[in-house]
Amino acid sequence: MQSSQNDVLRLLNLTFSFNEYRKYSSMFVPLCTSRDGWPKPGAPRRFYHTQYNANLLYHTSAILASALDTVTLKYRQKSRNSSLMDMCSDLTRYGRKVSAASLCFPFSLNIDSDFLECLDNWEGQLVQSITPRCELRTDKLMQYLTLRGVPENRLKKMAHEANKQQHLPAYKCNSIKEMLEYYLSCTTHDSASNVTTVQKPMLVRTPFPELFDEHIGYNGNIISAPRPQHIKVDSVPVLAGLYSGSEIGDMLESLHSSARRIKIAKFHGFEVERDEFEDCLDSIFELRENYNDNYVI
């Protein structure tokens, strides 16, 4: 009974929060390591070679912070040619104030592989959503992606070693950024992609929690032989992104539908009249309307 009530309170808080964020922010991004978010959190999302306790805020916040720290490198670098305002402007066209986030943590690059080989053999999507009730699609997206920790000298094989790799169209790419852009152009259709690459990986030294399994090496690459227990992971490559697409409308519709079933009169602690609650629900629905897929990026 207590668990059920907590689920309803979480849903109410989310509904009122979304409404306030819509009014007073330029853009907001719901984050969650669980798939559902409401009314119950749902199953935790799984990341490559990562073992975390979904019930420990220390673990889940470290994962979400890794995504935020990575995707904001776009405008936090000293040599930046972009700003947070630019990013928000691109992602919030047509009144779309909600964006989704994604993460590949750590970015799975075998210790003896190059970037081209990694992408050529990749199965499924590069990243997974860390926004509740929002599974990322592969078309009609506005996406900002940041990859950190893959050095340029691991782009592709040298010409005398390339063999069949030379016949791949991506072999013509001359940088990690160019190759990732080419990959996205082939896998996400009718989409606008903005890619940032950073040479330095993300440090995961103490006090970062030990989340990685024995097949993640000292520098974050995948290794076949188990890593000795006395050696800790020092850094990892990470890929993270922000998105605007119609799937966010599905998330808002789910929130609206779930919240509408609540009898607000039973929750006196919120001191909200039924008319106010209905206005809040209408506001969420109006926001959802902005994600109808009847536009061209």
Side-chain angles (χ1 to χ4, degrees):
M1 180 65 180
Q2 184 64 37
S3 175
S4 178
Q5 186 176 39
N6 288 339
D7 291 337
V8 175
L9 291 175
R10 183 193 309 111
L11 178 56
L12 279 173
N13 280 320
L14 285 168
T15 304
F16 290 127
S17 296
F18 274 42
N19 187 41
E20 294 302 301
Y21 297 153
R22 181 200 183 192
K23 290 189 289 186
Y24 300 113
S25 70
S26 299
M27 182 181 80
F28 64 98
V29 186
L31 298 176
C32 187
T33 56
S34 296
R35 292 185 181 277
D36 296 340
W38 59 80
K40 296 182 180 296
R45 296 185 185 276
R46 296 299 173 191
F47 303 92
Y48 299 116
H49 298 287
T50 301
Q51 301 169 332
Y52 73 100
N53 186 339
N55 296 317
L56 285 181
L57 297 180
Y58 183 41
H59 284 190
T60 56
S61 62
I63 292 172
L64 297 180
S66 300
L68 287 175
D69 187 70
T70 299
V71 79
T72 57
L73 285 171
K74 172 71 179 178
Y75 58 84
R76 291 195 294 111
Q77 297 178 87
K78 289 183 179 180
S79 59
R80 65 184 184 272
N81 56 4
S82 181
S83 66
L84 176 58
M85 184 180 298
D86 295 330
M87 182 183 290
C88 290
S89 177
D90 285 342
L91 291 166
T92 58
R93 295 176 182 176
Y94 314 105
R96 298 180 165 192
K97 281 201 170 184
V98 192
S99 292
S102 70
L103 183 64
C104 181
F105 175 80
F107 182 78
S108 297
L109 184 63
N110 291 338
I111 195 167
D112 57 351
S113 295
D114 52 69
F115 190 53
L116 174 53
E117 183 180 1
C118 174
L119 294 181
D120 190 45
N121 293 322
W122 198 280
E123 295 182 0
Q125 289 184 276
L126 275 181
V127 291
Q128 66 167 309
S129 173
I130 49 172
T131 292
R133 297 269 177 176
C134 186
E135 298 304 322
L136 299 174
R137 296 171 184 166
T138 58
D139 62 346
K140 297 183 179 179
L141 294 169
M142 176 65 214
Q143 54 187 348
Y144 269 78
L145 281 161
T146 301
L147 175 64
R148 69 195 304 181
V150 180
E152 294 293 339
N153 61 10
R154 296 191 65 182
L155 176 65
K156 57 187 177 183
K157 288 180 172 60
M158 300 294 289
H160 66 279
E161 300 175 335
N163 297 323
K164 293 181 180 180
Q165 197 179 85
Q166 289 189 79
H167 302 296
L168 297 174
Y171 191 80
K172 297 178 182 179
C173 297
N174 294 313
S175 68
I176 298 292
K177 181 178 186 295
E178 185 181 354
M179 190 171 289
L180 182 53
E181 288 174 336
Y182 178 76
Y183 180 87
L184 292 171
S185 71
C186 296
T187 56
T188 54
H189 308 291
D190 296 327
S191 297
S193 303
N194 189 303
V195 172
T196 299
T197 55
V198 178
Q199 294 287 295
K200 291 184 178 179
M202 191 183 78
L203 298 179
V204 290
R205 303 165 186 164
T206 305
F208 198 93
E210 296 180 18
L211 305 178
F212 310 104
D213 70 17
E214 60 187 6
H215 291 290
I216 294 295
Y218 172 79
N219 61 356
N221 290 164
I222 299 174
I223 54 178
S224 54
R227 170 173 41 85
Q229 290 187 354
H230 69 279
I231 297 179
K232 306 300 181 185
V233 180
D234 181 77
S235 62
V236 294
V238 180
L239 176 64
L242 292 175
Y243 301 81
S244 179
S246 59
E247 59 269 42
I248 300 170
D250 298 337
M251 176 194 67
L252 293 170
E253 185 171 349
S254 169
L255 179 66
H256 177 269
S257 298
S258 298
R260 182 165 286 284
R261 300 189 188 102
I262 298 174
K263 299 184 184 303
I264 191 64
K266 293 183 177 180
F267 295 88
H268 306 290
F270 280 89
E271 298 182 354
V272 175
E273 298 293 334
R274 179 172 180 79
D275 288 345
E276 292 179 83
F277 185 52
E278 289 293 333
D279 288 343
C280 178
L281 291 175
D282 289 343
S283 179
I284 298 294
F285 188 79
E286 289 174 7
L287 184 57
R288 181 261 176 275
E289 296 270 279
N290 294 335
Y291 292 86
N292 287 337
D293 216 359
N294 56 357
Y295 73 101
V296 177
I297 290 183

